[in-house]
Amino acid sequence: MTLTRLPTELLEIIITHVLPEGFESVAVTCRKIYALCIPFIQRHNALRSRFHHFTYHENPNDPSPTIATAADLIRRIAVEPVVARYVRYADFKRDSPRSYIIPRGFVADADCRDDVIRLFANCPYLEQAGLDWKEYVDKIEEEFNPDELPRYSQHAAAFLLTLLPNVERLILPQYWKPLDATNKLIHAVVHKTKQVHSLYDRPSLAQITRFEPYVSLVPQDRFDLGLASPFLALPRIRSFRGPSCVIMDDNHKSIIPKDPHYGFGETLESVSLVACCVDEVGIADFLKNTKRLKSLRYSHSTKYNVSPQCWDICKFVAAIERQVGSHLVELSVSIGKPFGSIAPGKASMRGFPCLRQLEFPLEIVMCNITAAACLDSTPNDSLVGGSSDHKLNCVALFVGDLVPASVSVLSLISHGTDHHDKALDVMFQDFAARKEITLPALTDIHLICPNGADDAYKDRGTRLLVETQKAGVVLHLEPWAHSGALTWDGEL
């Protein structure tokens, strides 16, 4: 019996069940089925337009119901369950804006009360997490305190994540925080995603490929990287954009789940840690199981630390090399104007045999210059003063001693001060003559040359144009920020 010979009533039921994933495919099967799909097209397009790229909003001029909190979206899904399947890109960061409109009680609306209660009562994740659904609903009601702003419910935000089988990209709410009950619930969801399941019975969050918490540079909004652990164990996760977080020495916390079978980071291919303050131990822990990682971007910031600490950038790079050096293709390590200090040391990135694109600050070069300079010189004496040329001759630090031979695009970051012109002198001595032997793949160099740079640095950058041209390498003098050599979009 062919599909088209089924009774019209059954065909209409089938059409409702393929919404939204297979609706277009079914609609173009034949003219008869297309005709039956016509009444569904307008609604399908409206739901896809509103929920495919979902973000909270509160617009009094919008005729559609306001969805400004996780509780609002839960209520909507309870009444119309298919809505949950339309969400592909979930940007939840604006959950519970600082609105002075007092929200209604979570289950106070008589029109949807039974639907909401049914949604919680039938939730398998609450049961797996050992949580009583009635107590969980009561927690959501308690969190909507009319006397406090923002009126954010962590329990509602976490429960919402049990309802989204097709979401591919997720941004957590800016007020996301660790609570025992919600932690248990998220772990139950992640555990379910790791089990065998059919195409038509996808667990929530099983399709996520890109994850990021809300990024904030406000000290009290610093994100505990450990909160990302369950999400980075999802089976299809590929990209992670981390927020401003601190993992240094005395406040170092293990970010790896205790369960060795959890699979933390095993599928990650691209990681960007933005405005973070992480030491070599923290980065080693984070990268321990990232066996597929191809792209890593790390920007260091100590601006918001209560007591800025000394960052050992050389040990930091060495820790990255130990964990992912054998398979990393893109690496960017950068630092803002440090409020703390950088520990002296010696670093090399020659242990990254697969790197194609590399970006690093000239502070690394300065550390190496200090380590390689004459032993009877102080760090400053080895770089400045009347005998600087003599003492630079004591340094054997060609750019090829730092950069792997596989690199084709090199980006150097600098504020253009702190004797960074001397770093360029050391790195690019006899560049044209030595480039082909040590850096045969190199085609482009991006050099940060800000307007506020020292005249000596600007002059050295200009002269470098001639030297790189002789070697057949294109030099790009960039005004500021990052060179753009490593543009992170979360995908490879």
Side-chain angles (χ1 to χ4, degrees), residues 117-383:
I117 290 177
R118 191 178 303 111
L119 190 65
F120 279 83
N122 296 332
C123 176
Y125 301 107
L126 285 172
E127 183 179 353
Q128 292 166 17
L131 301 172
D132 182 272
W133 71 267
K134 294 180 181 179
E135 294 178 359
Y136 199 93
V137 171
D138 289 342
K139 287 291 185 181
I140 296 177
E141 293 282 13
E142 292 173 9
E143 287 172 329
F144 282 107
N145 188 334
D147 299 324
E148 295 182 4
L149 289 174
R151 299 182 180 94
Y152 168 73
S153 169
Q154 173 71 16
H155 287 79
F159 184 80
L160 178 57
L161 298 185
T162 70
L163 305 174
L164 307 174
N166 294 327
V167 65
E168 297 171 7
R169 297 186 180 184
L170 171 65
I171 301 178
L172 289 182
Q174 67 181 100
Y175 303 115
W176 186 270
K177 54 191 175 183
L179 292 177
D180 183 59
T182 59
N183 286 349
K184 290 180 179 178
L185 185 59
I186 295 301
H187 281 281
V189 174
V190 175
H191 178 73
K192 182 67 174 178
T193 65
K194 294 180 174 297
Q195 300 175 8
V196 177
H197 51 84
S198 69
L199 178 65
Y200 304 101
D201 186 28
R202 292 173 176 168
S204 187
L205 307 187
Q207 300 300 304
I208 286 184
T209 60
R210 180 171 176 174
F211 165 72
E212 61 182 276
Y214 173 72
V215 177
S216 173
L217 298 181
V218 180
Q220 57 266 33
D221 289 342
R222 288 282 191 176
F223 186 81
D224 179 0
L225 201 53
L227 296 180
S229 296
F231 299 98
L232 299 186
L234 291 168
R236 292 174 60 88
I237 195 74
R238 298 292 182 271
S239 302
F240 171 57
R241 187 173 189 268
S244 50
C245 61
V246 177
I247 305 178
M248 294 284 286
D249 297 333
D250 55 347
N251 70 335
H252 179 267
K253 297 180 180 179
S254 175
I255 59 176
I256 306 300
K258 296 180 180 179
D259 185 352
H261 304 292
Y262 206 64
F264 171 87
E266 290 181 354
T267 61
L268 278 176
E269 297 176 359
S270 177
V271 169
S272 181
L273 299 175
V274 183
C276 295
C277 190
V278 181
D279 62 13
E280 65 274 12
V281 178
I283 197 66
D285 277 352
F286 182 81
L287 299 176
K288 185 177 182 179
N289 296 316
T290 55
K291 301 175 183 178
R292 299 183 186 179
L293 193 66
K294 301 297 182 184
S295 177
L296 173 63
R297 177 185 289 275
Y298 175 84
S299 63
H300 190 77
S301 173
T302 57
K303 183 175 181 180
Y304 297 101
N305 281 14
V306 177
S307 55
Q309 300 184 42
C310 185
W311 186 46
D312 196 324
I313 190 172
C314 297
K315 288 185 178 179
F316 186 85
V317 171
I320 296 175
E321 179 187 327
R322 287 195 305 273
Q323 301 293 2
V324 296
S326 62
H327 48 85
L328 209 60
V329 176
E330 299 178 354
L331 173 63
S332 172
V333 177
S334 61
I335 183 170
K337 194 68 174 178
F339 283 68
S341 58
I342 295 177
K346 187 175 182 180
S348 173
M349 282 157 279
R350 297 288 290 182
F352 295 85
C354 298
L355 274 187
R356 297 292 181 268
Q357 297 185 357
L358 173 62
E359 182 174 64
F360 63 86
L362 287 181
E363 278 82 2
I364 287 182
V365 184
M366 300 302 289
C367 286
N368 283 15
I369 289 175
T370 301
C374 296
L375 296 177
D376 59 347
S377 302
T378 65
N380 285 337
D381 287 342
S382 66
L383 299 173

